[in-house]
Amino acid sequence: MAYSKAVEALLRKQKIQPGDRIRYSGAKGTLEGILLPKPETTGSDDVLLLKLDNGYNVGLQASGATLENRPGPSAALGQVGAVWKPSIRHNVPKISLVATGGTISTKVDYKTGGVYMLSEPAEILAKVPELADIADIHRIQSPFRKASEDMDGKDWQTLAKTVVDELNSDSQGVVLTHGTDILAYTAAALSFMITDLNKPVAITGAQRSPDRGSFDGALNLIWSAQYAASDCAEVAVVMHGSSSDDFGLCHVGTKCRKMHTSRRDAFQTINAQPWATINGSKASQESERKNDENAVHFLRDDYHRRDNGRKAAADTAFEPKVAHIKPWPGADGRIIDFLVEQKFKGILIEAWALGHVPATSKFSWVPNIQNAIDAGLTVCIASSVLYGKVHPAVYANLRKISATGALYLDDMLPETAWVKLAVALGREKKMEKVEEFMRRNVAHEYNERHQQNDFTGFDDNSQSR
Amino acid sequence: MEKPDLQKLGFKAGIEIHQRLATDEKLFCHCPTRIREDAYAYGTLKRRLRAVAGELGTVDPAAAFEAARRKTFTYQLISENTCLVEQDEEPPRGLNQQALRCGLVMAKMLHAQPMDEVHVMRKTVADGSATSAFQRTALVAMDGHVETSKGIVTIPTVCIEEESSGIVTRVSDEVTYRLDRLGIPLIEIATGPDLQDGAHVQETAEKIGRLLRSTGFVQRGLGTIRQDINVSIADGTRVEIKGAQQLEDLAALAENEALRQHNLLQIAAELKRRGVKNADFANPHGVTRLAFGKPHGVSHHFTHAKAFLSQPIAEGKAVAMAIKLLFTKGLLGKELMPNHRFGTELSGYAKAKAGIKGIIHCDEDPVKYGLTQDDFNNISNELDCIEDDGWAVVVADELTAVRALHAVFDRCYTLEIPKETRKAEGRISTFMRPLPGAARMYPETDVLPAYVSTAEWDALPLPKTADERKADYEKLGLASDMAERLVRSNEWELFDQLAGKTEAKTLAWLLLEVKPALRRAGVDVNQPAERVAALLQLYSEEKITRAALQDLFALASKEPQADLEKMVHTAKLARIRGPALKKLADEWGGNFGEVMKRYRLQVDAGELKGLLEKKK
């Protein structure tokens, strides 16, 4: 509770606790309602928060007021909703759910407005009961509950192992719920860490909270379950394809990025086409509630096919001492020297456009990069422009930078490149081996042939953005 | 129909007034609040809304009801007035301070107490009118009052809230909204249940409306103010009637609702007398419905009915389904309020819950449907109706028909008056949805509360008094008697709006002399302020003379849609000035009287005089 000491003393004196029904008499007259705890950072801590019988919350200055306890049930605060008990269904695909955290697994205490992580992952399903019509969520695992901004490499190691366990169960596929901030990093990490992927892995989240009727996570979950039942043995990010509730997109795990802070269709595939649309074409709309093979409409053919007989495995080696930096105009290259001193093993530089950092001015980074590589670090270069490729030779400055031995990573997204470098350095000790791994197209992170519509959107003539 | 004594019925009514505020920006984003009905929609969104559990883990009945209809909503995007906030694609910005201040000023005028901290809430709405599925609302002040001819009327709450989106089309279950209206600040003023009769309802609404307008910060025009009425009688229940737009309908609306409740209670008493024990009679899972309430196919009785019924049946698109309504004969045709029978009431439920056009019942005139009394008797016989048993028929596809008939059945045997929200349709109302429960409000976590200090409250200036306003008009150049007349007239609001646009004397003359004269002559002179402003602009740009202004005002009133500039030319009202006037004067040998006689409306006497004097 975030009330001031004075207010707390006043409440103690009257034996009043949040959740109690009280009567306030003071400058604003006499009012009755339920005393609420004051959420931190919400208004003044000297002001009582009262829920009136008409449903409104109002703030009343505590000083000078007389408070008294009133008869009436005190409200149970912080408790929301019952847990849905999934009913056994036949003839729908069995799917595993791995729940982490994020908006999709929050709940609101409708009284206080406090936002909490769900106490049981099954509560997510309670919010989307129609999921039961299309999938049997027969296994639920929640290795940890964290907002995605608090996650790190260790969490990916845990997740990779958990997902592999589920892939090797009798489930048709896995749905992973996640906070959206670093969701795309996790998609890349699982793409690299899970080897011999045998079944679909859908990662999804929500951009609107589940307390509201416009919760986007409901459709995201439904679409994810449909993807998880499909033939596509790839890690995909499954989210809204447009601002409407009309179709979902299954983005390539290594080529996908959050491109808007708040829109439903924030996630986009960059420099490539998504794997598939869901519910996008007429045929799949009709099969939406049936979850048959028409639900997922593929835009590409180069995905690995499901192979339920194969066992998936996880190689979760991960080197945490990898930095992700980007230059700013006039930036001092000694930031790289600092990373060398701090015993970093690799650096991903998110460079300008075709791969530039300051290269001839007095701020040139070239000597610092050279110093890092000579010290045994692997330095990689991806573009902050995101769309298009880097190139080691177009300009003299690019040739100078690449001459240091820094690796130009073509069209790989900077975040994907950073994850891949950490995985590479975790697995390989020799620089040549690290380089070889970085150059290899492990999980569709490279697209060698960029075509017209790889810039502005995905290619599906039946859709318009 | 005889009018019962409201006092004896225990009539109680209160009103909620929703008035759009003329702030620069919307309540939670930077979009402007002025909307144009004809603004182009550059795109659309489609959304499905879900029912969510309320704060006690329960789903709000109103929300569940709308969700049960499984609707997809379409939203039109209007570039001038919508951004990602209206689209529910971006969190709200902070509470608009101008709107909060408007709320506080109004609260002060109503002698209410402001809250120390104003907290924004989310009120669940599932009809699709808000993309987020909730309306943001904040309680600003409490415990005010307003004086009326029948005593003090309490004002328990003054709130600031978001306007909803406006419906463009509703085709069965497909609703299209425009997003431009969503998020415009509204002030909501609720009275206590203190209103004693229809006239009192109307007087109070007028009084609060006048107070609102005197603040100068409210929007004007059609749809910018709405009244909801809450009515109950002693043995009845609180029913909310939404969306009354005409002040003159309020009195009848309120009294008709009391009448409806009174008559419903009489029907309930009669049903009980005939043998309906309790509401369990209609328990949808109970034995009773299975026994009596099973819908029955009666298409064969409709083969020779009017085409709108027989044709869909013949084409296999619809069936006629009947349900037996035990003990209801003679009651279905009983009038609840003018032109609204018990059958109409049941039909309203069926329409709302199943989206059908209407029901047919045994107390109607069969001729309406191209049928005979024999046909009706045959239906009764087929359903094994005896004595006072009645029935209802729905013609639709089977699933819809069954859904509609179950709605009819359930409503028919609800012996108490359901708590519901009704829609005003002129002077009567129809069922809209169940009254929302208390579970529909929870905190808006994305918006910080606003602190209202005592100093800020004390310093809030109240709108000017009549005397202050008169002094202002005199400063603008009006003679004392003219200023006095203006203050007392209904024209001062329009005058204030247009005062900067032209000289005060001409404006006052137009509003206080020309307008009343035209009104007396039977012309509808209520033109929107924008059009009057455009008229005055023609005058101040010297495109017409003052004499022509009067004629043009009359013409423009008669043809409210016509283009003003075109009108000037077709009516030959364009002012002749400068060289053209000089030429004209020469043609008439410089004869002032002749020119003015022929071109009174087109020539400014002053200009002509000056011209002629210069020549001499």
Side-chain angles (χ1 to χ4, degrees):
Chain A
M1 183 168 62
Y3 281 121
S4 67
K5 289 224 159 63
V7 172
E8 283 193 7
L10 181 69
L11 294 178
R12 241 192 329 271
K13 213 174 91 192
Q14 296 296 325
K15 297 199 169 61
I16 292 170
Q17 287 183 343
D20 288 353
R21 187 175 179 82
I22 63 163
R23 178 185 282 167
Y24 154 101
S25 312
K28 307 300 174 188
T30 303
L31 292 170
E32 266 196 39
I34 308 259
L35 181 75
L36 298 178
K38 196 102 188 225
E40 271 173 56
T41 69
T42 303
S44 157
D45 59 3
D46 282 329
V47 173
L48 298 168
L49 187 56
L50 209 62
K51 184 169 201 68
L52 306 177
D53 293 339
N54 62 13
Y56 280 98
N57 292 2
V58 296
L60 298 162
Q61 196 74 51
S63 59
T66 315
L67 306 178
E68 53 179 313
N69 244 316
R70 296 291 296 160
S74 62
L77 301 174
Q79 288 176 15
V80 196
V83 176
W84 178 66
K85 297 281 180 268
S87 56
I88 308 294
R89 298 241 174 191
H90 303 288
N91 306 324
V92 289
K94 287 185 152 90
I95 303 289
S96 292
L97 180 80
V98 177
T100 62
T103 304
I104 195 165
S105 41
T106 54
K107 60 179 174 184
V108 159
D109 176 352
Y110 285 93
K111 278 211 160 50
T112 62
V115 179
Y116 304 94
M117 282 294 177
L118 292 173
S119 50
E120 278 188 57
E123 284 178 289
I124 298 177
L125 303 178
K127 294 182 185 301
V128 196
E130 63 266 44
L131 201 55
D133 292 339
I134 59 154
D136 174 8
I137 309 293
H138 73 137
R139 290 167 65 93
I140 299 179
Q141 288 220 45
S142 185
F144 54 81
R145 278 194 292 279
K146 275 186 189 182
S148 80
E149 62 269 25
D150 292 328
M151 286 170 59
D152 60 26
K154 283 205 182 69
D155 296 317
W156 292 329
Q157 292 172 324
T158 310
L159 276 184
K161 283 177 199 148
T162 311
V163 169
V164 164
D165 282 349
E166 293 308 313
L167 288 170
N168 293 337
S169 75
D170 59 343
S171 290
Q172 291 295 299
V174 179
V175 174
L176 170 64
T177 59
H178 203 286
T180 54
D181 282 12
I182 68 141
L183 187 148
Y185 285 75
T186 300
L190 296 185
S191 298
F192 295 126
M193 284 180 174
I194 300 176
T195 53
D196 296 320
L197 187 58
N198 52 356
K199 294 168 187 172
V201 177
I203 308 182
T204 194
Q207 291 280 81
R208 296 286 89 75
S209 52
D211 57 271
R212 57 177 94 193
S214 59
F215 174 49
D216 61 324
L219 273 174
N220 290 342
L221 273 170
I222 288 169
W223 289 330
S224 294
Q226 286 174 321
Y227 173 79
S230 79
D231 197 29
C232 182
E234 300 282 357
V235 175
V237 173
V238 181
M239 297 281 287
H240 269 61
S242 83
S243 187
S244 291
D245 287 329
D246 49 5
F247 68 97
L249 283 176
C250 309
H251 299 282
V252 181
T254 53
K255 292 209 85 66
C256 146
R257 200 169 186 280
K258 189 174 185 180
M259 297 299 284
H260 197 277
T261 58
S262 57
R263 283 177 61 130
R264 286 164 173 73
D265 55 354
F267 284 85
Q268 293 184 10
T269 296
I270 311 282
N271 289 328
Q273 295 300 305
W275 290 126
T277 62
I278 298 197
N279 197 26
S281 66
K282 256 214 160 97
S284 63
Q285 260 165 35
E286 280 155 17
S287 58
E288 181 197 0
R289 287 177 58 76
K290 298 201 291 260
N291 201 14
D292 61 18
E293 67 277 10
N294 289 326
V296 181
H297 171 66
F298 283 95
L299 305 171
R300 302 169 53 159
D301 196 35
D302 58 335
Y303 55 91
H304 291 98
R305 301 303 197 266
R306 164 194 297 283
D307 180 358
N308 290 352
R310 191 163 56 181
K311 285 273 170 212
D315 182 347
T316 63
F318 189 87
E319 172 52 62
K321 295 226 71 143
V322 175
H324 179 159
I325 61 172
K326 67 196 277 182
W328 61 94
D332 190 329
R334 282 178 298 175
I335 193 167
I336 294 174
D337 300 346
F338 171 78
L339 294 171
V340 175
E341 283 162 29
Q342 294 296 313
K343 306 270 186 280
F344 271 73
K345 303 281 193 313
I347 302 171
L348 183 272
I349 300 176
E350 190 175 324
W352 289 309
L354 287 164
H356 277 126
V357 293
T360 44
S361 68
K362 62 175 175 176
F363 303 113
S364 173
W365 283 25
V366 173
N368 313 88
I369 292 174
Q370 191 66 64
N371 170 34
I373 291 172
D374 292 347
L377 279 76
T378 303
V379 177
C380 295
I381 292 187
S383 180
S384 64
V385 167
L386 307 177
Y387 280 99
K389 302 175 183 180
V390 290
H391 199 294
V394 173
Y395 294 111
N397 278 351
L398 291 168
R399 288 195 281 268
K400 267 189 211 163
I401 301 162
S402 63
T404 60
L407 301 179
Y408 273 66
L409 297 183
D410 214 51
D411 72 332
M412 205 188 303
L413 284 170
E415 295 81 9
T416 300
W418 173 80
V419 171
K420 192 180 182 188
L421 184 54
V423 168
L425 288 165
R427 282 188 198 173
E428 309 291 349
K429 297 296 157 233
K430 287 196 176 140
M431 200 185 245
E432 302 86 330
K433 289 273 188 192
V434 171
E435 268 192 49
E436 189 276 325
F437 185 79
M438 291 307 291
R439 293 251 180 251
R440 182 148 50 90
N441 197 1
V442 177
H444 310 279
E445 66 273 25
Y446 287 115
N447 176 17
E448 290 179 340
R449 296 179 59 241
H450 283 193
Q451 293 181 308
Q452 176 65 18
N453 48 30
D454 288 334
F455 178 40
T456 47
F458 68 97
D459 178 25
D460 181 352
N461 291 331
S462 66
Q463 303 292 350
S464 57
R465 282 272 218 193
Chain B
M1 206 172 0
E2 61 171 305
K3 199 177 159 186
D5 184 342
L6 291 176
Q7 300 269 287
K8 274 190 195 147
L9 290 184
F11 176 92
K12 267 192 195 174
I15 47 173
E16 278 177 21
I17 293 186
H18 301 90
Q19 165 75 60
R20 273 187 224 164
L21 299 176
T23 51
D24 298 328
E25 296 181 347
K26 289 190 180 175
L27 198 50
F28 294 103
C29 70
H30 300 300
C31 287
T33 57
R34 291 254 167 243
I35 56 175
R36 283 194 301 124
E37 299 295 331
D38 59 342
Y40 169 71
Y42 72 90
T44 56
L45 288 177
K46 271 192 197 292
R47 294 275 170 75
R48 308 184 226 180
L49 298 182
R50 315 169 51 74
V52 291
E55 61 187 60
L56 300 170
T58 53
V59 175
D60 172 57
F65 173 70
E66 290 288 346
R69 296 204 279 203
R70 283 192 170 275
K71 275 188 195 156
T72 299
F73 301 101
T74 303
Y75 299 97
Q76 294 183 346
L77 311 178
I78 317 294
S79 153
E80 297 160 48
N81 300 95
T82 63
C83 67
L84 289 185
V85 174
E86 287 90 341
Q87 291 172 223
D88 189 42
E89 285 285 47
E90 185 183 310
R93 315 312 298 182
L95 178 69
N96 183 291
Q97 291 301 299
Q98 212 182 353
L100 175 62
R101 196 181 156 86
C102 294
L104 288 169
V105 167
M106 195 58 205
K108 201 166 173 178
M109 288 176 77
L110 292 167
H111 318 286
Q113 285 293 336
M115 297 296 100
D116 289 317
E117 243 175 28
V118 174
H119 287 254
V120 180
M121 308 294 290
R122 296 172 173 175
K123 193 193 271 181
T124 310
V125 283
D127 61 0
S129 63
T131 45
S132 55
F134 52 70
Q135 175 195 31
R136 297 184 184 91
T137 173
L139 201 166
V140 170
M142 296 183 80
D143 198 18
H145 66 266
V146 61
E147 276 157 38
T148 68
S149 67
K150 289 178 176 149
I152 295 267
V153 170
T154 59
I155 307 284
T157 57
V158 177
C159 298
I160 293 290
E161 56 189 33
E162 288 179 303
E163 174 68 289
S164 57
S165 344
I167 290 188
V168 186
T169 56
R170 183 201 291 273
V171 184
S172 70
D173 266 6
E174 289 281 306
V175 188
T176 300
Y177 289 98
R178 274 166 80 87
L179 283 186
D180 49 358
R181 218 178 76 181
L182 182 64
I184 295 176
L186 291 179
I187 182 166
E188 186 211 74
I189 296 165
T191 76
D194 308 331
L195 308 177
Q196 296 160 22
D197 53 42
H200 197 204
V201 168
Q202 192 156 329
E203 180 201 334
T204 308
E206 274 171 17
K207 182 124 201 187
I208 296 172
R210 253 199 319 278
L211 279 176
L212 279 165
R213 286 193 298 279
S214 76
T215 62
F217 54 55
V218 300
Q219 287 195 10
R220 288 140 194 276
L222 198 70
T224 57
I225 186 163
R226 290 194 301 274
Q227 288 90 11
D228 295 349
I229 320 174
N230 285 297
V231 181
S232 67
I233 59 171
D235 298 318
T237 189
R238 184 171 81 85
V239 162
E240 181 183 49
I241 304 169
K242 270 192 158 344
Q245 290 212 359
Q246 300 292 333
L247 262 181
E248 48 273 26
D249 290 338
L250 288 182
L253 254 178
E255 295 192 356
N256 280 336
E257 174 55 24
L259 202 57
R260 187 186 73 95
Q261 295 195 16
H262 172 65
N263 286 322
L264 279 174
L265 289 173
Q266 292 197 332
I267 288 173
E270 176 62 15
L271 281 171
K272 276 185 201 162
R273 198 192 60 77
R274 290 183 183 183
V276 178
K277 299 252 172 345
N278 49 41
D280 272 351
F281 194 80
N283 180 353
H285 308 296
V287 182
T288 43
R289 184 198 255 182
L290 291 176
F292 306 119
K294 203 167 170 222
H296 197 88
V298 289
S299 294
H300 49 285
H301 294 297
F302 284 81
T303 46
H304 56 287
K306 283 191 180 167
F308 76 96
L309 294 171
S310 58
Q311 204 166 320
I313 294 175
E315 287 167 5
K317 288 179 188 153
V319 289
M321 301 290 287
I323 198 165
K324 181 169 157 185
L325 297 171
L326 232 62
F327 305 131
T328 59
K329 183 133 184 72
L331 297 179
L332 296 172
K334 187 173 157 64
E335 203 167 56
L336 301 176
M337 49 186 171
N339 293 320
H340 189 94
R341 292 158 205 279
F342 187 43
T344 326
E345 187 67 17
L346 301 184
S347 177
Y349 270 72
K351 283 178 185 171
K353 295 199 175 175
I356 57 155
K357 292 213 175 70
I359 66 168
I360 300 165
H361 63 77
C362 60
D363 289 353
E364 286 184 284
D365 180 2
V367 177
K368 239 167 98 180
Y369 303 105
L371 299 173
T372 63
Q373 194 55 51
D374 280 348
D375 293 320
F376 269 31
N377 292 343
N378 288 341
I379 295 172
S380 297
N381 290 337
E382 193 167 325
L383 294 167
D384 294 330
C385 292
I386 49 161
E387 293 171 5
D388 47 15
D389 291 346
W391 49 258
V393 166
V394 169
V395 178
D397 67 90
E398 191 173 336
L399 258 164
T400 307
V402 168
R403 207 151 33 118
L405 289 174
H406 280 168
V408 166
F409 188 91
D410 290 347
R411 174 62 192 91
C412 183
Y413 299 106
T414 304
L415 298 178
E416 67 275 23
I417 291 156
K419 288 185 171 38
E420 62 196 24
T421 301
R422 299 176 67 85
K423 190 169 76 192
E425 281 177 359
R427 300 184 164 203
I428 59 169
S429 64
T430 53
F431 170 76
M432 197 167 152
R433 56 172 183 244
L435 199 66
R440 68 193 300 229
M441 203 134 51
Y442 65 100
E444 166 56 89
T445 45
D446 298 341
V447 178
L448 290 175
Y451 189 79
V452 181
S453 72
T454 313
E456 188 187 344
W457 172 256
D458 290 344
L460 274 182
L462 293 182
K464 284 179 179 165
T465 63
D467 285 344
E468 287 167 333
R469 199 171 277 128
K470 188 184 168 199
D472 284 353
Y473 297 148
E474 285 173 348
K475 262 185 237 156
L476 286 173
L478 295 193
S480 172
D481 65 321
M482 198 70 153
E484 179 71 31
R485 274 172 65 199
L486 187 54
V487 168
R488 288 167 175 273
S489 76
N490 286 325
E491 300 291 348
W492 65 266
E493 298 168 55
L494 189 57
F495 181 91
D496 283 359
Q497 262 180 292
L498 298 173
K501 301 219 162 84
T502 187
E503 45 156 336
K505 275 185 190 161
T506 306
L507 181 56
W509 164 75
L510 194 69
L511 297 181
L512 298 177
E513 306 279 347
V514 176
K515 224 174 143 177
L518 285 171
R519 191 183 291 121
R520 278 193 296 274
V523 180
D524 178 10
V525 285
N526 285 321
Q527 301 189 52
E530 292 76 19
R531 193 157 165 91
V532 180
L535 261 164
L536 288 165
Q537 196 178 349
L538 290 173
Y539 170 64
S540 38
E541 285 171 357
E542 300 191 347
K543 286 181 178 162
I544 54 170
T545 64
R546 181 171 156 134
L549 189 59
Q550 185 169 358
D551 285 47
L552 191 60
F553 188 87
L555 281 174
S557 301
K558 284 172 194 156
E559 293 179 56
Q561 299 301 325
D563 181 79
L564 287 178
E565 298 243 10
K566 263 191 207 148
M567 206 179 263
V568 166
H569 288 284
T570 44
K572 295 210 165 52
L573 292 175
R575 178 170 163 180
I576 302 166
R577 55 189 285 271
L581 181 61
K582 210 169 148 197
K583 205 172 143 219
L584 189 72
D586 287 346
E587 276 170 30
W588 292 94
N591 186 330
F592 178 82
E594 279 300 314
V595 175
M596 284 313 291
K597 200 171 105 193
R598 287 183 164 75
Y599 297 96
R600 185 184 64 85
L601 293 176
Q602 288 178 275
V603 170
D604 180 87
E607 187 189 0
L608 181 61
K609 206 175 273 171
L611 210 76
L612 294 177
E613 269 166 18
K614 215 159 68 185
K615 261 195 167 167
K616 278 174 197 167

